Amino acid sequence: MAAMEIPPRSHGAGGFLVRLLGYYLLVTIVLVVLVRLFPGFAEMLSIDFEAASGGGFGREALRPPSVLSPAISPTLNTVLVVALALVGGLIFAIPVAWTYTETKRDEGFDKSIVQLIIMLPLAVGGVVLLVRGELALAFALAGIVAAVRFRTTFKDVKDAVFAFVVIGIGLASGMQALLLAEVFSLVFCLVVLALWYFEVGAVRSDVVQSTGPMTLSQALTPGDAERPILVGDPVLMAPLSDDELEAARERVSRLEHYVRADALRDKQKYKHLLLVYATDAEEAEERIEDLLEQYAKRWRLVETVEGRSGIHVLEYLVRFKKSAEVGELLDRLHREDEELIRAIELKSMKGRVAGSADDVWWSARPGPARPTRQHA
């Protein structure tokens, strides 16, 4: 199967930024047209903070335009005010959802978070329109929400920030401050794109980070503090020298791309890195995969390289069965044929591995992909 290459980040970022700015420009033009059609609509574009500062944000401070246009009835006026406020929250939440999916495409994103980003401003805007400065009603609503006990968890702290932002957009739209909602949405999207494009705070996949000596499995999973399980010859698994760490950089990058590809899966993602030190690669591969059939749900042989003293190192990404006795697997691999399999490293990749897509193979460098074997 032909390999798929991860496109450089700069290729997609420029086009996405143009589309994003074009979207906001189009929305601004629509707002200008609405002001021309409905003169009272201008009151929905901003909050009079100066007028509200004296007595707080009460009913008077949040009062919607009484008449969008003299040509429409009071009932239709109310319907349009509410509809424009709610639709405004939705319109400015959509680019936030786009930004979320674009910046999370490498590691994979949660579909429920995308839907949350789009739906939440509608709910928040509707609640704000309902409460409208009434303290008693606000307390009653808080009690109802506490009784229902909405709960959610976020795997990534940045996902929670997206949720907070769309809550703010919903509040602004519910307060009939659509200009505030637009500026809030635009500035947030631009900041997130800049952080993503320049990889601010990211751990480079080709740089090994450690405060002390590392084994090969630790070097191949930078940024993960989990300690590996070591079985067998300690000389083969001794901490790497500076030269060996330098030589491992390309392998780190290649493994990272497999991890990113695996993030596209919804379920059954790889969770462990298995390194097997063997005297004969082909014979060891057959032996290892016979046992993985019993203990693992899926696995992938990423590559086989030459290690110390002419020993071959087979690198596997593995998803074990829930019922699997991993210690038993390691014992059988090593003790049943110690002359063939000299040592084993098993490294949990919690926080690094999210999962990969079946039939999606990524290469770490442009050009022909290295052949790999996988079992799904």
Side-chain angles (χ1 to χ4, degrees):
M1 180 178 296
M4 295 179 60
E5 296 179 5
I6 299 178
R9 180 163 294 185
S10 58
H11 288 182
F16 178 77
L17 179 61
V18 170
R19 294 193 301 272
L20 186 71
L21 295 178
Y23 177 86
Y24 282 105
L25 178 61
L26 178 62
V27 170
T28 302
I29 293 173
V30 171
L31 293 179
V32 172
V33 171
L34 287 174
V35 171
R36 295 296 181 89
L37 294 177
F38 307 104
F41 181 72
E43 298 179 33
M44 295 187 65
L45 295 182
S46 62
I47 298 176
D48 188 352
F49 288 100
E50 183 177 356
S53 61
F57 286 102
R59 177 178 290 276
E60 294 298 319
L62 301 180
R63 185 179 64 238
S66 56
V67 178
L68 285 176
S69 174
I72 60 177
S73 66
T75 301
L76 183 58
N77 175 79
T78 301
V79 172
L80 287 176
V81 168
V82 173
L84 288 172
L86 296 181
V87 171
L90 176 62
I91 288 173
F92 297 124
I94 288 175
V96 176
W98 290 347
T99 303
Y100 173 80
T101 57
E102 177 69 15
T103 55
K104 300 277 285 186
R105 61 186 173 89
D106 284 347
E107 65 241 50
F109 55 84
D110 190 337
K111 182 175 67 175
S112 64
I113 300 296
V114 179
Q115 296 174 349
L116 173 74
I117 291 173
I118 295 173
M119 294 186 299
L120 194 55
L122 289 173
V124 173
V127 170
V128 173
L129 287 169
L130 176 65
V131 174
R132 301 212 51 78
E134 293 290 347
L135 186 61
L137 187 57
F139 275 112
L141 183 63
I144 294 172
V145 171
V148 175
R149 299 177 69 185
F150 293 101
R151 289 183 178 180
T152 187
T153 56
F154 296 99
K155 297 179 181 178
D156 189 337
V157 67
K158 295 190 296 295
D159 295 350
V161 176
F162 278 90
F164 278 118
V165 167
V166 293
I167 288 175
I169 291 172
L171 288 171
S173 64
M175 295 165 64
Q176 294 89 42
L178 297 183
L179 188 59
L180 177 61
E182 180 178 17
V183 174
F184 188 15
S185 174
L186 173 60
V187 172
F188 176 76
C189 290
L190 292 179
V191 170
V192 171
L193 280 175
L195 294 175
W196 170 70
Y197 180 79
F198 293 107
E199 297 185 325
V200 177
V203 178
R204 288 179 53 191
S205 62
D206 62 340
V207 176
V208 176
Q209 294 188 334
S210 176
T211 57
M214 290 183 297
T215 64
L216 179 58
S217 62
Q218 291 174 297
L220 292 177
T221 54
D224 194 319
E226 292 283 334
R227 303 290 296 180
I229 298 174
L230 308 179
V231 177
D233 189 344
V235 175
L236 296 176
M237 300 178 293
L240 303 182
S241 65
D242 291 341
D243 291 339
E244 289 172 322
L245 286 174
E246 184 70 24
R249 286 188 175 186
E250 183 177 348
R251 294 162 64 187
V252 173
S253 180
R254 180 178 296 113
L255 185 63
E256 180 75 8
H257 283 295
Y258 279 103
V259 170
R260 290 182 179 181
D262 203 44
L264 299 177
R265 285 183 66 94
D266 292 331
K267 298 179 180 179
Q268 306 301 329
K269 302 170 184 178
Y270 297 129
K271 287 190 173 182
H272 288 83
L273 173 66
L274 177 66
L275 302 182
V276 180
Y277 298 77
T279 54
D280 186 302
E282 292 185 2
E283 185 179 350
E285 182 179 328
E286 182 178 350
R287 170 68 179 155
I288 294 166
E289 296 186 2
D290 283 344
L291 289 175
L292 288 178
E293 285 280 0
Q294 304 174 39
Y295 292 89
K297 289 186 176 181
R298 56 189 297 261
W299 68 83
R300 180 195 294 272
L301 174 60
V302 177
E303 65 178 331
T304 301
V305 297
E306 186 172 341
R308 295 166 174 167
S309 305
I311 297 295
H312 301 280
V313 183
L314 292 81
E315 300 177 2
Y316 282 90
L317 291 174
V318 183
R319 168 80 181 206
F320 289 109
K321 297 177 181 178
K322 290 184 178 180
S323 60
E325 293 289 343
V326 179
E328 179 182 284
L329 167 65
L330 300 182
D331 186 68
R332 291 183 62 183
L333 273 175
H334 178 60
R335 296 188 182 282
E336 291 182 8
D337 197 342
E338 294 186 23
E339 293 301 319
L340 173 63
I341 297 177
R342 303 288 302 278
I344 304 167
E345 289 188 55
L346 181 66
K347 176 73 165 56
S348 171
M349 294 192 293
K350 183 184 298 184
R352 297 288 298 176
V353 173
S356 84
D358 293 330
D359 304 329
V360 179
W361 294 1
W362 302 73
S363 60
R365 296 287 184 270
R370 297 177 62 90
T372 64
R373 290 186 56 184
Q374 76 166 337
H375 171 83

